[in-house]
Amino acid sequence: MSHPMAKTQTLASVDESSLLELMRQGDEHAFRELVCEFNEPLLRLAMSHVPTREIAEEVVQATWVGVITGIDRFEGRSSLKTWIFRILVNQAKTRGVRESRTLPASSLGDRPTGSAVSPDRFRGTDSLWVGHWTSHPIHPSEVPGERLVADETLAAVDAAVQRLPELQRQVIVLRDLHGFSPSEICELLGVTEGNQRVLLHRARSQVRSALERYLVSPEREGGR
Amino acid sequence: MIYDPIDCQALVELANDYLEDGLAAASRTDFELHLATCKGCIAYLEQLRLTSDLVSMLPRSRPDEGTLDQLMDEFRRRGPGSGDPQE
């Protein structure tokens, strides 16, 4: 059973080859589309690599210049998107900051219990059904379709994403909003595969939890 | 007697790995066996999928006009078709 929505594809993943072709011909509008699509995630990613927003903006600007002057040489061995983000990471590194490392658990933004769902949602050892749901989570099909994708619902999801610890936010945005693969994310953020899995697990769990609270009581959760 | 090696509380810790195709075969089998008879976990998994899909629909902000203008200038001056030798 699945809910009634299709996943939105990014502009670049749908039209990448035509955008690339147009850009090679000097088409400004194609380049403009690219900038509008990626400037924000590039900036966000830059900010996780350098100490200030000002430097991050410089890094992004340098990245776009690199794209402009390098587009003729782009061979298409990776996706256009990956190529652009790699330029950004290289630019950030020339400003001499964070290196790849395995993160200590504390920096992964752990909840006190480290669990995806609060333990009080499950029956305890005093029950025959220990470890089972005390009450079932609401199934998305029980919510009217138009409400699932309403602006207010997206606002609640957005608010939950904004509340995430930095790296968890980076990972869920890169994965779900921008469609990067786990290995690309590891490369861009300088984290291990294990880190990436844990970060994504925690990020999606937190946002799911907020979404569920919103679906059950919209007036209380809202865009808080 | 139904074979149910994992309970709901354990399943939710594996749910994301399952969605990401990151579970080893044995764990995946246990996961699906539990899911087959548990409405609560089916609902949970759908919520997790929905979460990921909603994040994919979040609005993105545009760069400010000043930044955009500067970049467009740069593109005209130094991009393909500008006549400038590419680096």
Side-chain angles (χ1 to χ4, degrees), chain A residues 58-122:
Chain A
E58 283 173 28
V59 167
V60 173
Q61 199 74 357
T63 300
W64 286 124
V65 173
V67 170
I68 288 168
T69 57
I71 195 74
D72 275 348
R73 281 177 293 117
F74 173 63
E75 289 169 26
R77 273 185 271 126
S78 70
S79 70
L80 183 61
K81 177 178 76 178
T82 304
W83 178 66
I84 294 172
F85 278 73
R86 277 184 186 145
I87 294 175
L88 179 118
V89 171
N90 289 333
Q91 286 292 337
K93 282 177 180 169
T94 65
R95 278 148 180 86
V97 261
R98 305 182 196 182
E99 293 159 8
S100 285
R101 65 204 186 283
T102 301
L103 302 165
S106 55
S107 69
L108 296 178
D110 208 346
R111 293 165 58 148
T113 57
S115 51
V117 177
S118 171
D120 63 19
R121 293 294 301 276
F122 305 100

Short mmCIF file of all heavy atoms in Angstrom, two decimals, chain A residues 58-122:
data_model
loop_
_atom_site.label_atom_id
_atom_site.label_comp_id
_atom_site.label_asym_id
_atom_site.label_seq_id
_atom_site.Cartn_x
_atom_site.Cartn_y
_atom_site.Cartn_z
N GLU A 58 31.71 33.10 -0.81
CA GLU A 58 32.86 33.19 -1.72
C GLU A 58 33.11 31.85 -2.39
O GLU A 58 33.39 31.77 -3.58
CB GLU A 58 34.13 33.55 -0.94
CG GLU A 58 34.26 34.98 -0.54
CD GLU A 58 35.47 35.19 0.38
OE1 GLU A 58 36.45 34.40 0.27
OE2 GLU A 58 35.43 36.10 1.21
N VAL A 59 33.02 30.80 -1.58
CA VAL A 59 33.25 29.44 -2.09
C VAL A 59 32.23 29.11 -3.17
O VAL A 59 32.57 28.56 -4.22
CB VAL A 59 33.20 28.41 -0.93
CG1 VAL A 59 33.11 27.00 -1.47
CG2 VAL A 59 34.41 28.55 -0.04
N VAL A 60 30.99 29.47 -2.93
CA VAL A 60 29.93 29.18 -3.91
C VAL A 60 30.16 29.99 -5.19
O VAL A 60 30.03 29.48 -6.30
CB VAL A 60 28.53 29.45 -3.32
CG1 VAL A 60 27.45 29.33 -4.39
CG2 VAL A 60 28.25 28.49 -2.18
N GLN A 61 30.51 31.24 -5.02
CA GLN A 61 30.79 32.09 -6.18
C GLN A 61 31.94 31.48 -7.01
O GLN A 61 31.85 31.37 -8.23
CB GLN A 61 31.19 33.49 -5.70
CG GLN A 61 31.07 34.58 -6.75
CD GLN A 61 29.62 34.95 -7.04
OE1 GLN A 61 28.68 34.37 -6.50
NE2 GLN A 61 29.42 35.92 -7.91
N ALA A 62 33.01 31.07 -6.33
CA ALA A 62 34.16 30.45 -7.00
C ALA A 62 33.74 29.16 -7.70
O ALA A 62 34.24 28.83 -8.78
CB ALA A 62 35.28 30.18 -6.01
N THR A 63 32.82 28.46 -7.08
CA THR A 63 32.31 27.21 -7.68
C THR A 63 31.62 27.51 -9.01
O THR A 63 31.89 26.85 -10.02
CB THR A 63 31.31 26.53 -6.73
OG1 THR A 63 31.96 26.23 -5.50
CG2 THR A 63 30.76 25.24 -7.34
N TRP A 64 30.75 28.51 -9.01
CA TRP A 64 30.03 28.84 -10.25
C TRP A 64 30.99 29.30 -11.35
O TRP A 64 30.82 28.98 -12.52
CB TRP A 64 28.95 29.88 -10.00
CG TRP A 64 27.75 29.34 -9.30
CD1 TRP A 64 27.22 29.80 -8.13
CD2 TRP A 64 26.93 28.24 -9.69
NE1 TRP A 64 26.12 29.05 -7.78
CE2 TRP A 64 25.92 28.08 -8.72
CE3 TRP A 64 26.94 27.35 -10.78
CZ2 TRP A 64 24.94 27.10 -8.79
CZ3 TRP A 64 25.96 26.37 -10.86
CH2 TRP A 64 24.98 26.24 -9.87
N VAL A 65 32.02 30.06 -10.95
CA VAL A 65 33.01 30.47 -11.94
C VAL A 65 33.71 29.24 -12.50
O VAL A 65 33.94 29.13 -13.71
CB VAL A 65 34.03 31.46 -11.33
CG1 VAL A 65 35.16 31.74 -12.32
CG2 VAL A 65 33.35 32.76 -10.95
N GLY A 66 34.01 28.30 -11.63
CA GLY A 66 34.60 27.03 -12.05
C GLY A 66 33.70 26.28 -13.02
O GLY A 66 34.17 25.68 -14.00
N VAL A 67 32.41 26.32 -12.77
CA VAL A 67 31.45 25.68 -13.67
C VAL A 67 31.45 26.38 -15.03
O VAL A 67 31.54 25.75 -16.08
CB VAL A 67 30.02 25.70 -13.07
CG1 VAL A 67 28.97 25.26 -14.09
CG2 VAL A 67 29.95 24.81 -11.83
N ILE A 68 31.38 27.71 -14.99
CA ILE A 68 31.36 28.51 -16.22
C ILE A 68 32.58 28.23 -17.08
O ILE A 68 32.47 28.01 -18.29
CB ILE A 68 31.28 30.02 -15.88
CG1 ILE A 68 29.89 30.36 -15.35
CG2 ILE A 68 31.62 30.89 -17.10
CD1 ILE A 68 29.82 31.75 -14.71
N THR A 69 33.75 28.27 -16.47
CA THR A 69 34.97 28.12 -17.26
C THR A 69 35.30 26.66 -17.56
O THR A 69 36.10 26.39 -18.45
CB THR A 69 36.17 28.79 -16.57
OG1 THR A 69 36.31 28.20 -15.26
CG2 THR A 69 35.96 30.29 -16.41
N GLY A 70 34.69 25.75 -16.82
CA GLY A 70 35.03 24.35 -17.03
C GLY A 70 34.01 23.54 -17.79
O GLY A 70 34.24 22.38 -18.11
N ILE A 71 32.88 24.13 -18.10
CA ILE A 71 31.77 23.35 -18.68
C ILE A 71 32.14 22.68 -20.00
O ILE A 71 31.70 21.57 -20.29
CB ILE A 71 30.48 24.22 -18.82
CG1 ILE A 71 29.27 23.33 -19.07
CG2 ILE A 71 30.61 25.27 -19.91
CD1 ILE A 71 28.81 22.59 -17.84
N ASP A 72 32.99 23.33 -20.78
CA ASP A 72 33.38 22.73 -22.05
C ASP A 72 34.20 21.47 -21.86
O ASP A 72 34.22 20.59 -22.72
CB ASP A 72 34.18 23.73 -22.90
CG ASP A 72 33.26 24.65 -23.70
OD1 ASP A 72 32.04 24.37 -23.76
OD2 ASP A 72 33.75 25.64 -24.26
N ARG A 73 34.88 21.41 -20.71
CA ARG A 73 35.75 20.26 -20.46
C ARG A 73 35.03 19.14 -19.71
O ARG A 73 35.57 18.07 -19.52
CB ARG A 73 36.97 20.68 -19.64
CG ARG A 73 38.05 21.35 -20.48
CD ARG A 73 39.22 21.82 -19.60
NE ARG A 73 38.82 22.90 -18.71
CZ ARG A 73 38.83 22.82 -17.37
NH1 ARG A 73 39.20 21.71 -16.77
NH2 ARG A 73 38.46 23.86 -16.64
N PHE A 74 33.80 19.39 -19.28
CA PHE A 74 33.07 18.38 -18.51
C PHE A 74 32.77 17.19 -19.40
O PHE A 74 32.15 17.32 -20.45
CB PHE A 74 31.77 19.00 -17.97
CG PHE A 74 30.85 18.00 -17.32
CD1 PHE A 74 31.25 17.31 -16.18
CD2 PHE A 74 29.58 17.77 -17.83
CE1 PHE A 74 30.40 16.39 -15.57
CE2 PHE A 74 28.72 16.86 -17.21
CZ PHE A 74 29.13 16.17 -16.09
N GLU A 75 33.25 16.02 -18.98
CA GLU A 75 33.15 14.85 -19.85
C GLU A 75 31.92 13.99 -19.60
O GLU A 75 31.69 13.03 -20.32
CB GLU A 75 34.41 13.99 -19.68
CG GLU A 75 35.65 14.63 -20.28
CD GLU A 75 36.93 13.90 -19.86
OE1 GLU A 75 36.83 12.69 -19.54
OE2 GLU A 75 37.99 14.53 -19.83
N GLY A 76 31.16 14.30 -18.57
CA GLY A 76 29.94 13.53 -18.32
C GLY A 76 30.17 12.18 -17.68
O GLY A 76 29.31 11.31 -17.72
N ARG A 77 31.36 11.98 -17.09
CA ARG A 77 31.61 10.69 -16.42
C ARG A 77 30.81 10.58 -15.13
O ARG A 77 30.43 9.50 -14.71
CB ARG A 77 33.11 10.49 -16.16
CG ARG A 77 33.83 9.86 -17.35
CD ARG A 77 35.28 9.55 -17.07
NE ARG A 77 36.14 10.68 -17.39
CZ ARG A 77 36.99 11.21 -16.53
NH1 ARG A 77 37.09 10.77 -15.33
NH2 ARG A 77 37.74 12.23 -16.92
N SER A 78 30.57 11.76 -14.50
CA SER A 78 29.65 11.78 -13.35
C SER A 78 28.46 12.61 -13.80
O SER A 78 28.46 13.16 -14.90
CB SER A 78 30.34 12.44 -12.16
OG SER A 78 30.48 13.83 -12.41
N SER A 79 27.45 12.72 -12.95
CA SER A 79 26.35 13.60 -13.31
C SER A 79 26.83 15.05 -13.19
O SER A 79 27.80 15.33 -12.48
CB SER A 79 25.15 13.37 -12.39
OG SER A 79 25.46 13.85 -11.10
N LEU A 80 26.14 15.95 -13.88
CA LEU A 80 26.47 17.37 -13.83
C LEU A 80 26.41 17.86 -12.38
O LEU A 80 27.30 18.57 -11.90
CB LEU A 80 25.48 18.15 -14.70
CG LEU A 80 25.68 19.65 -14.84
CD1 LEU A 80 27.03 19.95 -15.48
CD2 LEU A 80 24.56 20.25 -15.69
N LYS A 81 25.36 17.45 -11.70
CA LYS A 81 25.16 17.83 -10.30
C LYS A 81 26.33 17.42 -9.43
O LYS A 81 26.86 18.21 -8.66
CB LYS A 81 23.87 17.15 -9.83
CG LYS A 81 23.51 17.37 -8.39
CD LYS A 81 22.19 16.69 -8.07
CE LYS A 81 22.31 15.19 -7.93
NZ LYS A 81 21.03 14.55 -7.57
N THR A 82 26.78 16.15 -9.56
CA THR A 82 27.90 15.66 -8.76
C THR A 82 29.16 16.45 -9.08
O THR A 82 29.93 16.82 -8.18
CB THR A 82 28.14 14.17 -9.04
OG1 THR A 82 26.94 13.46 -8.77
CG2 THR A 82 29.25 13.62 -8.16
N TRP A 83 29.39 16.73 -10.35
CA TRP A 83 30.57 17.49 -10.78
C TRP A 83 30.58 18.86 -10.12
O TRP A 83 31.59 19.29 -9.57
CB TRP A 83 30.53 17.62 -12.30
CG TRP A 83 31.64 18.41 -12.90
CD1 TRP A 83 32.96 18.08 -12.92
CD2 TRP A 83 31.52 19.66 -13.60
NE1 TRP A 83 33.68 19.05 -13.59
CE2 TRP A 83 32.82 20.03 -14.02
CE3 TRP A 83 30.44 20.49 -13.92
CZ2 TRP A 83 33.06 21.20 -14.74
CZ3 TRP A 83 30.69 21.65 -14.63
CH2 TRP A 83 32.00 22.00 -15.03
N ILE A 84 29.46 19.56 -10.14
CA ILE A 84 29.35 20.88 -9.54
C ILE A 84 29.63 20.82 -8.03
O ILE A 84 30.39 21.62 -7.48
CB ILE A 84 27.95 21.50 -9.79
CG1 ILE A 84 27.76 21.76 -11.27
CG2 ILE A 84 27.78 22.79 -8.99
CD1 ILE A 84 26.34 22.18 -11.64
N PHE A 85 29.04 19.85 -7.36
CA PHE A 85 29.24 19.74 -5.91
C PHE A 85 30.67 19.36 -5.56
O PHE A 85 31.20 19.76 -4.53
CB PHE A 85 28.22 18.76 -5.29
CG PHE A 85 26.88 19.40 -5.04
CD1 PHE A 85 26.02 19.69 -6.08
CD2 PHE A 85 26.50 19.76 -3.75
CE1 PHE A 85 24.79 20.31 -5.86
CE2 PHE A 85 25.26 20.38 -3.51
CZ PHE A 85 24.41 20.65 -4.57
N ARG A 86 31.32 18.60 -6.44
CA ARG A 86 32.73 18.27 -6.18
C ARG A 86 33.59 19.51 -6.32
O ARG A 86 34.55 19.69 -5.56
CB ARG A 86 33.22 17.21 -7.18
CG ARG A 86 32.87 15.82 -6.78
CD ARG A 86 33.46 14.81 -7.72
NE ARG A 86 32.99 13.48 -7.37
CZ ARG A 86 32.74 12.54 -8.23
NH1 ARG A 86 32.91 12.76 -9.52
NH2 ARG A 86 32.31 11.36 -7.83
N ILE A 87 33.26 20.37 -7.29
CA ILE A 87 34.00 21.62 -7.44
C ILE A 87 33.88 22.41 -6.15
O ILE A 87 34.86 22.96 -5.64
CB ILE A 87 33.47 22.46 -8.63
CG1 ILE A 87 33.74 21.75 -9.95
CG2 ILE A 87 34.12 23.86 -8.63
CD1 ILE A 87 33.15 22.46 -11.17
N LEU A 88 32.66 22.43 -5.60
CA LEU A 88 32.45 23.15 -4.36
C LEU A 88 33.30 22.60 -3.23
O LEU A 88 33.96 23.36 -2.51
CB LEU A 88 30.97 23.10 -3.94
CG LEU A 88 30.80 23.84 -2.62
CD1 LEU A 88 29.86 25.02 -2.77
CD2 LEU A 88 30.32 22.94 -1.51
N VAL A 89 33.30 21.30 -3.07
CA VAL A 89 34.08 20.70 -1.98
C VAL A 89 35.56 21.00 -2.16
O VAL A 89 36.26 21.33 -1.19
CB VAL A 89 33.82 19.18 -1.91
CG1 VAL A 89 34.78 18.51 -0.95
CG2 VAL A 89 32.39 18.91 -1.47
N ASN A 90 36.06 20.94 -3.40
CA ASN A 90 37.47 21.27 -3.65
C ASN A 90 37.75 22.73 -3.32
O ASN A 90 38.78 23.06 -2.74
CB ASN A 90 37.85 20.96 -5.10
CG ASN A 90 37.91 19.47 -5.35
OD1 ASN A 90 38.17 18.69 -4.44
ND2 ASN A 90 37.66 19.07 -6.58
N GLN A 91 36.83 23.61 -3.71
CA GLN A 91 36.99 25.03 -3.39
C GLN A 91 37.03 25.23 -1.87
O GLN A 91 37.82 26.02 -1.36
CB GLN A 91 35.82 25.84 -3.98
CG GLN A 91 35.88 26.03 -5.48
CD GLN A 91 37.03 26.93 -5.91
OE1 GLN A 91 37.52 27.74 -5.12
NE2 GLN A 91 37.48 26.77 -7.13
N ALA A 92 36.15 24.55 -1.18
CA ALA A 92 36.10 24.69 0.28
C ALA A 92 37.41 24.21 0.90
O ALA A 92 37.94 24.83 1.82
CB ALA A 92 34.92 23.91 0.85
N LYS A 93 37.96 23.13 0.35
CA LYS A 93 39.20 22.58 0.89
C LYS A 93 40.38 23.51 0.66
O LYS A 93 41.31 23.55 1.47
CB LYS A 93 39.49 21.20 0.29
CG LYS A 93 38.64 20.11 0.92
CD LYS A 93 38.86 18.75 0.27
CE LYS A 93 37.98 17.72 0.96
NZ LYS A 93 37.95 16.44 0.22
N THR A 94 40.37 24.28 -0.44
CA THR A 94 41.48 25.20 -0.66
C THR A 94 41.48 26.30 0.39
O THR A 94 42.49 26.97 0.59
CB THR A 94 41.44 25.88 -2.06
OG1 THR A 94 40.27 26.71 -2.13
CG2 THR A 94 41.42 24.86 -3.17
N ARG A 95 40.34 26.47 1.05
CA ARG A 95 40.31 27.45 2.14
C ARG A 95 40.69 26.78 3.45
O ARG A 95 40.56 27.33 4.53
CB ARG A 95 38.94 28.11 2.23
CG ARG A 95 38.83 29.23 1.22
CD ARG A 95 37.41 29.39 0.72
NE ARG A 95 37.32 30.47 -0.25
CZ ARG A 95 37.56 30.33 -1.54
NH1 ARG A 95 37.91 29.15 -2.02
NH2 ARG A 95 37.46 31.35 -2.36
N GLY A 96 41.14 25.56 3.33
CA GLY A 96 41.82 24.85 4.41
C GLY A 96 41.05 24.49 5.65
O GLY A 96 41.46 24.80 6.74
N VAL A 97 39.90 23.83 5.49
CA VAL A 97 39.22 23.42 6.72
C VAL A 97 38.96 21.92 6.80
O VAL A 97 39.73 21.13 6.35
CB VAL A 97 37.92 24.21 6.99
CG1 VAL A 97 38.17 25.30 7.97
CG2 VAL A 97 37.33 24.73 5.71
N ARG A 98 37.81 21.59 7.39
CA ARG A 98 37.53 20.25 7.88
C ARG A 98 37.96 19.09 6.99
O ARG A 98 37.67 19.05 5.82
CB ARG A 98 36.02 20.12 8.13
CG ARG A 98 35.53 21.18 9.03
CD ARG A 98 34.07 20.99 9.30
NE ARG A 98 33.50 22.21 9.86
CZ ARG A 98 32.25 22.34 10.22
NH1 ARG A 98 31.42 21.34 10.08
NH2 ARG A 98 31.82 23.46 10.72
N GLU A 99 38.61 18.14 7.56
CA GLU A 99 39.03 16.95 6.84
C GLU A 99 38.08 15.80 7.14
O GLU A 99 37.38 15.82 8.11
CB GLU A 99 40.44 16.56 7.26
CG GLU A 99 41.47 17.58 6.83
CD GLU A 99 42.74 17.46 7.65
OE1 GLU A 99 42.86 16.50 8.43
OE2 GLU A 99 43.59 18.34 7.53
N SER A 100 38.16 14.77 6.29
CA SER A 100 37.33 13.58 6.53
C SER A 100 37.68 12.97 7.87
O SER A 100 38.83 12.91 8.25
CB SER A 100 37.59 12.53 5.45
OG SER A 100 36.98 12.92 4.27
N ARG A 101 36.69 12.52 8.55
CA ARG A 101 36.96 11.87 9.83
C ARG A 101 35.76 11.04 10.22
O ARG A 101 34.68 11.21 9.69
CB ARG A 101 37.20 12.93 10.91
CG ARG A 101 35.98 13.80 11.19
CD ARG A 101 36.39 15.13 11.77
NE ARG A 101 35.24 15.91 12.18
CZ ARG A 101 34.46 16.58 11.35
NH1 ARG A 101 34.66 16.55 10.06
NH2 ARG A 101 33.45 17.28 11.81
N THR A 102 35.96 10.14 11.13
CA THR A 102 34.83 9.43 11.71
C THR A 102 34.35 10.27 12.89
O THR A 102 35.14 10.69 13.71
CB THR A 102 35.25 8.03 12.21
OG1 THR A 102 35.77 7.32 11.10
CG2 THR A 102 34.06 7.28 12.77
N LEU A 103 33.06 10.53 12.92
CA LEU A 103 32.55 11.42 13.95
C LEU A 103 32.27 10.68 15.25
O LEU A 103 31.78 9.57 15.22
CB LEU A 103 31.24 12.04 13.46
CG LEU A 103 31.38 12.80 12.15
CD1 LEU A 103 30.01 13.06 11.57
CD2 LEU A 103 32.11 14.11 12.39
N PRO A 104 32.58 11.34 16.37
CA PRO A 104 32.19 10.72 17.64
C PRO A 104 30.66 10.71 17.74
O PRO A 104 30.02 11.59 17.19
CB PRO A 104 32.80 11.64 18.70
CG PRO A 104 33.02 12.94 18.01
CD PRO A 104 33.26 12.63 16.57
N ALA A 105 30.10 9.75 18.41
CA ALA A 105 28.65 9.60 18.48
C ALA A 105 27.96 10.87 18.94
O ALA A 105 26.90 11.23 18.47
CB ALA A 105 28.29 8.44 19.40
N SER A 106 28.57 11.60 19.87
CA SER A 106 27.95 12.81 20.42
C SER A 106 27.68 13.85 19.34
O SER A 106 26.70 14.57 19.40
CB SER A 106 28.83 13.41 21.51
OG SER A 106 30.13 13.65 20.99
N SER A 107 28.54 13.93 18.33
CA SER A 107 28.34 14.95 17.32
C SER A 107 27.29 14.54 16.30
O SER A 107 26.91 15.31 15.44
CB SER A 107 29.65 15.26 16.60
OG SER A 107 30.02 14.16 15.81
N LEU A 108 26.81 13.32 16.39
CA LEU A 108 25.77 12.87 15.47
C LEU A 108 24.40 13.36 15.92
O LEU A 108 23.40 13.10 15.28
CB LEU A 108 25.76 11.34 15.34
CG LEU A 108 27.03 10.74 14.72
CD1 LEU A 108 26.93 9.23 14.69
CD2 LEU A 108 27.26 11.26 13.31
N GLY A 109 24.37 14.08 17.05
CA GLY A 109 23.11 14.66 17.49
C GLY A 109 22.18 13.62 18.08
O GLY A 109 21.02 13.54 17.74
N ASP A 110 22.70 12.81 18.95
CA ASP A 110 21.94 11.73 19.55
C ASP A 110 20.80 12.23 20.43
O ASP A 110 20.96 13.21 21.14
CB ASP A 110 22.90 10.90 20.41
CG ASP A 110 22.47 9.45 20.52
OD1 ASP A 110 21.33 9.15 20.17
OD2 ASP A 110 23.30 8.64 20.97
N ARG A 111 19.65 11.56 20.37
CA ARG A 111 18.62 11.79 21.39
C ARG A 111 19.11 11.08 22.65
O ARG A 111 19.91 10.18 22.56
CB ARG A 111 17.30 11.18 20.95
CG ARG A 111 16.68 11.84 19.75
CD ARG A 111 15.60 10.97 19.19
NE ARG A 111 14.58 10.67 20.17
CZ ARG A 111 13.30 10.49 19.87
NH1 ARG A 111 12.91 10.62 18.63
NH2 ARG A 111 12.42 10.19 20.78
N PRO A 112 18.60 11.47 23.81
CA PRO A 112 19.07 10.84 25.04
C PRO A 112 19.04 9.32 25.00
O PRO A 112 19.97 8.65 25.43
CB PRO A 112 18.10 11.38 26.10
CG PRO A 112 17.65 12.68 25.57
CD PRO A 112 17.64 12.54 24.07
N THR A 113 17.98 8.73 24.45
CA THR A 113 17.92 7.27 24.41
C THR A 113 18.50 6.71 23.12
O THR A 113 18.70 5.52 22.99
CB THR A 113 16.47 6.77 24.53
OG1 THR A 113 15.72 7.34 23.45
CG2 THR A 113 15.86 7.18 25.85
N GLY A 114 18.70 7.56 22.15
CA GLY A 114 19.23 7.11 20.87
C GLY A 114 18.25 6.28 20.08
O GLY A 114 18.63 5.58 19.17
N SER A 115 16.96 6.33 20.45
CA SER A 115 16.00 5.47 19.75
C SER A 115 15.20 6.26 18.73
O SER A 115 14.96 7.45 18.89
CB SER A 115 15.07 4.81 20.76
OG SER A 115 14.52 5.77 21.61
N ALA A 116 14.79 5.55 17.67
CA ALA A 116 14.06 6.19 16.58
C ALA A 116 12.67 6.64 17.03
O ALA A 116 12.14 7.64 16.58
CB ALA A 116 13.93 5.23 15.40
N VAL A 117 12.08 5.87 17.91
CA VAL A 117 10.74 6.15 18.40
C VAL A 117 10.78 6.08 19.93
O VAL A 117 11.43 5.21 20.49
CB VAL A 117 9.72 5.13 17.86
CG1 VAL A 117 8.33 5.39 18.42
CG2 VAL A 117 9.71 5.15 16.33
N SER A 118 10.09 7.01 20.56
CA SER A 118 10.07 7.03 22.02
C SER A 118 9.62 5.67 22.60
O SER A 118 8.62 5.11 22.15
CB SER A 118 9.13 8.13 22.48
OG SER A 118 8.93 8.04 23.87
N PRO A 119 10.37 5.16 23.58
CA PRO A 119 10.02 3.85 24.15
C PRO A 119 8.60 3.77 24.72
O PRO A 119 8.04 2.68 24.82
CB PRO A 119 11.05 3.67 25.27
CG PRO A 119 12.20 4.53 24.87
CD PRO A 119 11.60 5.70 24.15
N ASP A 120 8.03 4.91 25.09
CA ASP A 120 6.69 4.84 25.66
C ASP A 120 5.60 4.50 24.64
O ASP A 120 4.44 4.31 24.99
CB ASP A 120 6.33 6.12 26.45
CG ASP A 120 6.28 7.37 25.58
OD1 ASP A 120 6.16 7.25 24.33
OD2 ASP A 120 6.36 8.48 26.14
N ARG A 121 5.99 4.40 23.35
CA ARG A 121 5.05 3.97 22.32
C ARG A 121 4.91 2.46 22.27
O ARG A 121 4.07 1.94 21.53
CB ARG A 121 5.51 4.46 20.93
CG ARG A 121 5.46 5.98 20.75
CD ARG A 121 4.06 6.53 20.79
NE ARG A 121 3.20 5.94 19.76
CZ ARG A 121 3.14 6.38 18.50
NH1 ARG A 121 3.87 7.39 18.12
NH2 ARG A 121 2.33 5.79 17.63
N PHE A 122 5.75 1.77 23.05
CA PHE A 122 5.75 0.30 23.01
C PHE A 122 5.42 -0.29 24.36
O PHE A 122 5.70 0.30 25.41
CB PHE A 122 7.12 -0.21 22.56
CG PHE A 122 7.57 0.37 21.24
CD1 PHE A 122 8.47 1.42 21.20
CD2 PHE A 122 7.05 -0.13 20.05
CE1 PHE A 122 8.87 1.97 19.98
CE2 PHE A 122 7.44 0.42 18.83
CZ PHE A 122 8.35 1.47 18.80
#
